[in-house]
Amino acid sequence: MARLADYFVVVGYDLDKRGGGEGQGRILQRFPEKDWEDNPFPQGLELFCQPSGWQLVPERKPPSFFVSVLTDINSERHYCACFTFWESVENPQLQKGEPSEADEDDSPDVLQPAQLYAPKSLVLVSFLDHTEVFRNCLSLIYNVHADGLTVPMETVIGNLLTCIIPIAGGSQRTITLGAGDRQVIQTPINDSLPVSGCSVAQLFRQLGIINVLCLFCAALTEHKILFLSSSYQRLTDACRALLAIMFPLKYSFTYVPILPGKLLEVLSTPTPFIIGVNSHFRSETQELLDVIIADLDGGTVTIPECVHISLLPEPLLHHTQTVISMILDPELEVADHAFPPSSVQPSTLKIQDKEIRAVFLWLFAQLFQGYRWCLHIIRIHPEPVIRFHKAAFLGQRALTEDDFLMKVLDGMAFAGFVSERGPPYRATDLFDDLIANQVERIRQETGDHHKVMKHIKELAEQLFKNENPYPAVTMHRGQRTAENAQPRLPQTSFPQLDEVSVQLFIDHAAAKLKTAPPVVKAELKGMVPTGPPLADIVDRNGNVLANSARRLEVVRNCITYIFDSKMLEAKKLMPAVLRALKGRAARVCLTQELNLHVLQNRAVLDDQQFDYIIRMMNCTLQDCSHMDEHGIAAALLPLVTAFCRKLGGGITQFAYSCVQEHMVWTNMQFWEAMFYSDVQKHIRALYLENGEEGDTSAPKQLSALELASEQSRLWPTLSKEQQQERVQKEESTVFSQAIHYANRMSYLLLPLDTSKNRLLRNTGLGDVESVSNSYVTNSIAGSMAESYDTESGFEDAESSDVANSVVRFINRFVDKVCNESGVTNEHLKALHTMIPDIVQMHIETLDAVHRESKRLPPIQKPKLLRPTLLPGEEFVMDGMRVHLITDGREEATGALGGPPLLPAEGAIFLSNYRLIFKGTPTDPLVGEQVVTRSFPVASLTKEKRISVNLPMDQLVQEGLQLRSCTFQLMKIAFDEEVASDLAEVFRKHMHKLRYPQHVQGTFAFTVGQSAKLAVEHKTKDKNQSLKTLSKNLVKTAKRTIGRQYVTRKKYSPPAWENRSSFQSEMDEDEISVSEEPDQSSLTLSSTIRSSDRQTMSNVVERACCRDYQRLGLGTLSNSLTRSKNEPFRISTVNRMYTVCRSYPGLLIVPQSIPDSTIQRICRCYRQNRFPVVCWRNSRTKAVLLRSAGLHAKGVVGFFKSPNAPTAGPSQADSTSLEQEKYLQAIISSMPSYSEASGRNTLSGFTSSHMSSSGKWGSIRGSGRLSTYNPDVGNRLAGKESPQANGGPSETYFLRQQRAYLYIIGDKSQLKGGKQDSFQQWEVVPIEVFDVRQVKNSFKKLMKACVPSSPITEQNTNMTFHRCLEESDWMNLLHKVLQVSVLVVELLETASSVMVSLEDGWDVTTQVVSLVQLLSDPYYRTIDGFRLLVEKEWLSFGHRFSHRGAQTLASQSSGFTPVFLQFLDCVHQIHLQFPMEFEFSQYYLKFLAYHYVSNRFRTFLLDSDYERIELGVLYEEKGERKNPQVCKSVWDYIDRLNKKTPIFYNYMFSPEEEEVLKPYSFISNLKVWDFYTEETLSEGPSFDWELVRGRPEKPQEEAADRQETTAPKSQRRIVWPCYDSLSKVLPDAITKLLQVRNKKNGKTHGTRLRHSLLMSSNLSHQRRSQGVYLQESRVGSSINLALECEVSATSTPAAGRPSTSTLYSQFQSTESENRSFEGILYKKGALLKPWKPRWFVLDKTKHQLRYYESRQDKVCKGVIDLAEVESVFPGTPTMGAPKNIDDKAFFDLKTTKRVYNFCAQESTNAQLWMDSIQSCLSDA
């Protein structure tokens, strides 16, 4: 029973305190005047009566009513019903007499009304929420006052304050206040269910379904919610509704349905709240950043950006929405029906309200189903203490990832829910019933909305009944008779009441209550039903993995093998087990299986068993989350203290010391949950022992909660002593468990090596100061700090910081659990003193174990395989054991089927040339294979530290990710045996080797010296090479020249014009040189002293000169009478590299240009790289020139028209004129120019130059005319030609006068230049990419081709093709090819072209080389290509060292593969014209690999000048001291070429003088397989010594090894990424060559040395490759020989095998090659006996082979069916087998002899004859 109202208060406007702005209210009277003991008077009531502020108004407002809620300090809610009406007051300003001056100033225009109205509120304060009753009572009091009734007001108020009503129970109580009124108060049946009236339905109508669901989720996940409305009552209703739908959870944060304006700062509180505010204050709520605002009047909910609301998990959210919309809008379902049912009206508001609430009840029943199975009861007496095991609940529901449920379970509301509904013995309500008995029904109904609706309606009915148990409720009868009559306005103000008389009423009622007998209401307590267990629910969710039965079987078998000591079997199953343990079922199975092998809490294993069990445990724990939602870690906890192994000295090592590296052990919640579940077990056992109270047969099945319920029921019947005894027993149970757990925790938290703070390294264990990030530094710091007081004895200095943090962690745990489970303080103190001792003892035990475990023989790890090294290659660091981890390339990981080759275990070796990993896969199915990955150190582009999780060992290891520009990536994780400082040393060595101080530190120079020497060498002065120019042509020349100037001898050689710049760099002798006259008349021989002639003859022998002579661009003759009619000459102006440091010594320039001019011209060009001729078209005589771009100042002068008026002959003008002269000289050298007098017209042009048809990159286009569209600017500015396949467009229009010279220049450089119409040259501006673009593009290309991690759900956009596109590499190739094809076309049309882009050594080189390759078939041969690279790339100074970042100095510039880009372009052309190239694709890959490998000196240094300076350029000829070490890549290729045809392209059959025009569109380009393929079996195949001759040996070894285990097998397995397919399955020609080689023993003699001048005789070319055709009487057969002496026409030598013998070498066992086989007797040669042989008739190869026996693999002989003339029955001859039918004999006649055969019987013979005959006729 409770009072209907606690206080009645009259609050009025405080006229005295009326200040400047806001008025104030004050309490005029309150009854009773002294506070009730159980309910003190709430403070600040006057604020809540007028939440918008107290104000006087000029017009009377109608009375208003609302209920606001105040929460007191004990979080009890007081409902304050406010009834406000307005009374007139005199205007206080007018009362003062005449207005003062100030007032007039304030409001001169406003007419002050004489009459003002002040608010007055009548307030009821109550614990109960009966809004309508309060409204009626206050209206009655007001009416009594307004109507002036005779009833004394005191009586009414006295009656109201003394009215006592029941809280619940469903009874009706009629009350009267003594003014002729009667009203019925209806109490709810069950007060635990909220009473909502119509408020929930109203809320949904105001805001809509989605919005309310948002608010609902926000309230449950503890967000701040603010309601806005202009109606106070609606605010209260909305808040009440939100609380009603949260049932059974209770909101426990700030709850203020109506917040007064003066308290708005409450909104910035950090805690969650539900608050209502009048929309009058909307503007003040705008700046709240984290508050969800629901506007009830506008129907909107505003969620700020920074707030994320976790919504209900799907599909629950969707179901809930659907069902609510069926309630609110039932017409929706039938809206589309043609014949809609007549009455589909929604229920009345009151019913709708209950239906919606029923939906939320149904929702909570689904969310919380099975929650009682996760309650741990840890104390029953004196009060039940219950904890909820959140992780288990989420895990079994498979909702660990669900954000919403996680937050709800962590929230305050749920904590309240557990403490309120946890106890097993209490009164139950609707929700308990739903959870216990209807879960099954809810599950079956899911998805069928109509069944769900039916259920909802039933629940709604119960809810409605709870509020309205009686259908006909009598209406209240108030004072007013006419309902619609307006209330009268009170004439007087509300009277002052007599406190005494009201107090008398109250006292009187209190006295009556004392005498009345107490109302005893029997509380219906009972056992709370638990509902169905959770396990069934999960299986429905299908979370058990597919085919898990097989996986469980694997796990079980493996464990059985381990305990039966069948280690080999166990090892085979291990990878499968570790994969299976990703699934929960397998992990549970593992814990169960291991449990079976524990006897009396102990299981002693041997070392290998122990190791396997540990690995499985680690794997299991690693795949669990730290929450341990499935209780796997909990199940393993007893096992890790059970499994152990014996070490020496009577010491036992337990499993826990090896499974500590898991986050779960540092998670406090895990330990608490474990502790509580153990305590529950023990308490249950405690009461099961006292089975005498209960029925002895039942107890076995009782759960702990049911037991607890039973005990709670019996508790009141026990005597005090019994009660006390039980409390003590329980308390000591908890205490003993706490000690047990302190031990367990110290086991799992103290690392085996306590000097290393391993566990605490990355968790929040212990305090901040004791935990540093790296355990190495931490332990060192710790030991340093405490090493001074080690004398104190007991504590070990290093371990104490570990010990302290573990002690702190355990203390925190013990404090928490003991306080919650009510352990006495004495016990708690005892625990705290014990814990440090427990930890210390354990540390001592561990130290002994650690000592002993170090003595254990290490686990048998795979033997480290040593890689083979090149001659001259040496190890810098010996192998370190590492694991090679998989990266994003899928084949190697077994993703294509087949066992995974990676991860592999082995060692990483660092030699002075390569980084090599060699090891074996960890998967035992391929364990005998060898995995090799290597790349040259010089190609390393990026190295970064990574940390790796090894799948087998479960330890996080530090590792390195190394990326190389040979498209290789190594992810390695160092084994734990590798010390971290060793890994650091490895990195330093690697960096030293990667970036030597000087290029002489690279492998190509240090090869053969010892590595130490190389390091010392590097440390010398950086510039030594510049200062002491040993072996240097320049130095000697300079000395001699310098001295001769000083001594003034008669012979005075010419000086260098540009000497000063050179000299400043040389710093050797400062002799000034005077200008000399023009030296162009001097020939080469006269300019160079005899001592230098040797060197100069070397220059002449260089590639360029041979090529210039071949092209007819000038010869070097000693006579002065050089034929003047040659248009070009070889100039020696740069012989001392003074004109241009990066050009070669000899250059081709026009005949008419003297050297002095050249020296002036060169200054206009960047890097002095002036235009020189590098190739001439033999047909059109057009020339190709190359140069750098012009200097900025030169550009304008360059294009100045010659007749423009100039101020004076300035320097710039004269150079620009000389430049023009130079260009004019080039133009006049062209025959087409001299003939051109009549050829300026279009017709003339086409007739003479349209005849040449080029070869386009497709068969279709071969006959197309090559037409050139000179509007080239367009084409290259990105407007593609209209031709679809990238060829030039068919349509063309030409300038009337074609330019004789096109200058291809950079668009950005040529701005502002004006084209002169009279000049014969034309500038084509194109956009070139700069080097930075190439660099970035290459980085992205590497990441695309060799990704570091596999594609996952997160980075799905990182697919190969997308990354390839983003890299833009193909686009760059396209641009280079496009420009090159354009230049080729121009040269074909007899226009010369000058390529002058950037500095003339990157893009220019690419374009110029490609043009020559496309135009001149010679460069498509092996020798020609070498010459091209030597000429254009090496001599013309492409900066290989700088672009390849080969030294420390160029490290910052990064790796820029300009040459690789060129090779890729060649590869693209090769793909389109496979028959035009003498060299194979492998040749290109070989160059691509070795140009970055630094194995050869060829691609080191930046120019010929630098090479001469270091003495590299000419040494290759003379020095042959160490034949093993090739210094030049070309020599190496030559040598290889003699041994193997690997570089030769068998499809080579060029057409004469063919010009290639490849398609350059991106769609025509292919990704080069050099970027994507790798061979794991032996590493890159480009170091031929390492892979040569390997295949034979391993086969023999394998055979030896297999004898013991299995029969010999002939099969070879081929993996696409493991083996090099070209080697394992070679092409026919290679195979034949190998066979030939084996048959003939060693090759005879060496190959003929090619003469220096390349012969263009193709037959010689082919012959030199050892392939020739021959005709002979045997029929046509291809013979392959490697001897070159044999002339092409010779007959085959005796004994040379015919084709058939060659064929037999294919060990083909395919059935289709054996058309017919069996045993035949064959007569031997003269006087030889008949012998049985196994004959095979092969239709495919058209031959009859015979073997010794059926099993034999080696063929004894072959009869070629091509030579067979006939087959006919024979007769038995001498020595024939006996007892055989005569008809079984037959003969076979060939061109050479007759063979006699005998079958076993006549039918068989007939079959043989028929088969052979059919073969012959088929042929």
Side-chain angles (χ1 to χ4, degrees), residues 1527-1679:
K1527 293 181 178 174
S1528 153
V1529 72
W1530 310 116
D1531 292 358
Y1532 187 73
I1533 289 174
D1534 276 351
R1535 238 186 252 182
L1536 257 186
N1537 215 1
K1538 290 169 190 162
K1539 295 177 189 166
T1540 165
I1542 186 82
F1543 296 130
Y1544 186 72
N1545 172 19
Y1546 300 122
M1547 297 170 72
F1548 180 51
S1549 59
E1551 296 178 27
E1552 286 301 309
E1553 295 302 314
E1554 190 58 74
V1555 177
L1556 311 181
K1557 293 177 188 169
Y1559 292 152
S1560 63
F1561 281 163
I1562 294 185
S1563 54
N1564 299 105
L1565 305 182
K1566 304 273 184 292
V1567 184
W1568 195 5
D1569 54 8
F1570 174 64
Y1571 305 152
T1572 51
E1573 64 178 20
E1574 77 160 330
T1575 309
L1576 276 172
S1577 57
E1578 53 194 20
S1581 63
F1582 305 107
D1583 289 311
W1584 201 250
E1585 296 88 336
L1586 303 177
V1587 290
R1588 187 189 54 199
R1590 276 265 312 281
E1592 288 85 357
K1593 273 183 246 162
Q1595 274 181 338
E1596 291 157 23
E1597 286 167 24
D1600 300 342
R1601 202 185 322 154
Q1602 281 168 346
E1603 265 171 25
T1604 52
T1605 54
K1608 284 191 186 181
S1609 143
Q1610 290 287 328
R1611 69 194 182 121
R1612 296 281 304 277
I1613 301 166
V1614 179
W1615 275 289
C1617 85
Y1618 179 69
D1619 302 297
S1620 161
L1621 291 186
S1622 56
K1623 267 201 213 61
V1624 182
L1625 307 170
D1627 54 86
I1629 301 184
T1630 317
K1631 182 73 181 174
L1632 293 175
L1633 281 166
Q1634 285 171 359
V1635 171
R1636 171 82 210 163
N1637 230 355
K1638 277 184 202 159
K1639 289 220 176 289
N1640 291 2
K1642 288 190 68 179
T1643 47
H1644 308 288
T1646 54
R1647 219 168 87 183
L1648 291 172
R1649 181 69 50 83
H1650 286 312
S1651 60
L1652 279 173
L1653 287 176
M1654 176 70 192
S1655 133
S1656 58
N1657 177 350
L1658 277 175
S1659 68
H1660 166 70
Q1661 273 297 318
R1662 296 245 171 115
R1663 191 155 44 79
S1664 68
Q1665 289 302 335
V1667 178
Y1668 57 86
L1669 300 170
Q1670 63 181 39
E1671 296 296 320
S1672 71
R1673 61 190 177 77
V1674 184
S1676 159
S1677 72
I1678 297 182
N1679 263 300

Side-chain angles (χ1 to χ4, degrees), residues 614-679:
I614 292 297
R615 265 165 72 180
M616 288 159 92
M617 283 182 172
N618 269 325
C619 185
T620 306
L621 287 166
Q622 186 192 25
D623 288 323
C624 294
S625 74
H626 64 92
M627 274 178 56
D628 189 36
E629 64 273 22
H630 301 305
I632 309 256
L636 280 176
L637 191 56
L639 296 174
V640 296
T641 51
F643 287 107
C644 58
R645 63 172 167 191
K646 290 267 186 274
L647 303 175
I651 288 170
T652 306
Q653 179 181 13
F654 284 94
Y656 56 71
S657 59
C658 306
V659 294
Q660 297 176 324
E661 291 273 325
H662 301 285
M663 294 297 294
V664 67
W665 310 128
T666 58
N667 179 13
M668 190 70 92
Q669 284 84 10
F670 162 75
W671 287 108
E672 285 168 26
M674 282 287 311
F675 175 77
Y676 293 143
S677 70
D678 272 8
V679 168

Side-chain angles (χ1 to χ4, degrees), residues 558-582:
C558 188
I559 292 174
T560 316
Y561 287 144
I562 290 173
F563 285 102
D564 294 350
S565 292
K566 295 182 179 167
M567 286 306 152
L568 213 67
E569 300 296 318
K571 186 180 179 186
K572 280 183 190 158
L573 281 184
M574 207 61 186
V577 170
L578 296 184
R579 278 197 290 273
L581 287 176
K582 296 247 183 293

Side-chain angles (χ1 to χ4, degrees), residues 4-78:
L4 176 62
D6 290 316
Y7 297 97
F8 173 75
V9 191
V10 182
V11 186
Y13 185 85
D14 190 350
L15 287 168
D16 310 339
K17 289 232 181 109
R18 182 173 188 276
E22 291 257 308
Q24 285 185 10
R26 69 187 174 105
I27 296 175
L28 304 175
Q29 277 190 303
R30 61 167 259 212
F31 306 97
E33 283 189 316
K34 63 173 195 292
D35 291 6
W36 297 102
E37 284 170 19
D38 58 346
N39 186 356
F41 183 75
Q43 296 304 309
L45 193 67
E46 55 275 25
L47 281 176
F48 286 85
C49 298
Q50 285 290 318
S52 309
W54 289 83
Q55 281 151 349
L56 299 175
V57 292
E59 281 182 20
R60 191 194 293 269
K61 293 184 179 175
S64 65
F65 173 82
F66 59 83
V67 179
S68 56
V69 182
L70 280 75
T71 312
D72 68 14
I73 199 155
N74 305 323
S75 71
E76 296 284 353
R77 290 188 184 140
H78 298 268

Side-chain angles (χ1 to χ4, degrees), residues 235-281:
L235 288 174
T236 307
D237 282 346
C239 295
R240 181 194 286 127
L242 192 51
L243 261 51
I245 58 177
M246 281 171 69
F247 176 80
L249 299 179
K250 292 197 170 136
Y251 192 73
S252 50
F253 294 101
T254 313
Y255 173 73
V256 187
I258 298 172
L259 183 73
K262 284 208 170 161
L263 302 180
L264 280 179
E265 66 268 16
V266 173
L267 293 176
S268 46
T269 169
T271 54
F273 56 67
I274 296 178
I275 289 180
V277 169
N278 193 315
S279 29
H280 176 68
F281 299 111

Side-chain angles (χ1 to χ4, degrees), residues 248-511:
L249 299 179
K250 292 197 170 136
Y251 192 73
S252 50
F253 294 101
T254 313
Y255 173 73
V256 187
I258 298 172
L259 183 73
K262 284 208 170 161
L263 302 180
L264 280 179
E265 66 268 16
V266 173
L267 293 176
S268 46
T269 169
T271 54
F273 56 67
I274 296 178
I275 289 180
V277 169
N278 193 315
S279 29
H280 176 68
F281 299 111
R282 184 191 302 274
S283 53
E284 275 90 292
T285 63
Q286 292 309 309
E287 65 272 7
L288 299 170
L289 293 178
D290 55 348
V291 179
I292 298 160
I293 299 177
D295 183 354
L296 296 172
D297 308 345
T300 59
V301 169
T302 314
I303 303 170
E305 281 177 23
C306 61
V307 171
H308 165 67
I309 301 180
S310 309
L311 291 173
L312 287 165
E314 285 293 0
L316 268 182
L317 179 63
H318 178 67
H319 289 332
T320 312
Q321 282 179 13
T322 316
V323 179
I324 296 178
S325 80
M326 286 168 76
I327 292 167
L328 291 175
D329 186 6
E331 290 179 358
L332 180 64
E333 251 194 314
V334 294
D336 289 351
H337 288 199
F339 304 107
S342 49
S343 60
V344 190
Q345 284 317 92
S347 331
T348 59
L349 262 190
K350 268 192 173 169
I351 301 289
Q352 248 187 21
D353 180 272
K354 303 302 170 281
E355 286 173 342
I356 293 170
R357 276 181 53 200
V359 173
F360 282 95
L361 259 182
W362 168 84
L363 171 69
F364 274 115
Q366 286 179 345
L367 280 177
F368 292 163
Q369 60 185 8
Y371 83 95
R372 296 197 72 76
W373 288 93
C374 298
L375 293 175
H376 286 157
I377 183 144
I378 44 176
R379 288 295 291 272
I380 302 177
H381 305 317
E383 280 293 313
V385 180
I386 288 186
R387 287 285 158 267
F388 180 71
H389 192 346
K390 181 180 87 174
F393 179 71
L394 287 171
Q396 288 174 299
R397 296 286 306 277
L399 286 168
T400 21
E401 301 302 312
D402 185 52
D403 207 19
F404 173 76
L405 208 51
M406 285 280 281
K407 286 182 178 165
V408 172
L409 298 185
D410 285 335
M412 293 266 290
F414 189 75
F417 172 84
V418 170
S419 56
E420 182 192 345
R421 292 183 179 265
Y425 187 68
R426 58 172 170 81
T428 57
D429 64 12
L430 182 58
F431 182 71
D432 292 313
D433 170 61
L434 198 58
I435 276 277
N437 309 324
Q438 312 216 6
V439 173
E440 194 45 52
R441 175 175 173 184
I442 291 177
R443 190 188 308 172
Q444 286 163 359
E445 286 167 355
T446 323
D448 185 345
H449 293 309
H450 292 285
K451 281 189 183 166
V452 172
M453 272 307 289
K454 189 175 167 218
H455 194 176
I456 297 289
K457 293 249 197 270
E458 290 172 24
L459 288 173
E461 203 174 314
Q462 287 172 277
L463 287 170
F464 185 73
K465 236 201 193 105
N466 185 56
E467 283 181 37
N468 314 293
Y470 305 109
V473 179
T474 43
M475 297 301 297
H476 78 279
R477 195 171 92 236
Q479 199 47 47
R480 252 180 297 125
T481 43
E483 276 297 316
N484 52 4
Q486 279 296 315
R488 296 240 312 283
L489 296 179
Q491 299 309 311
T492 57
S493 64
F494 196 78
Q496 186 79 3
L497 304 177
D498 179 10
E499 289 100 350
V500 183
S501 53
V502 176
Q503 193 59 47
L504 276 172
F505 265 102
I506 293 168
D507 296 343
H508 183 64

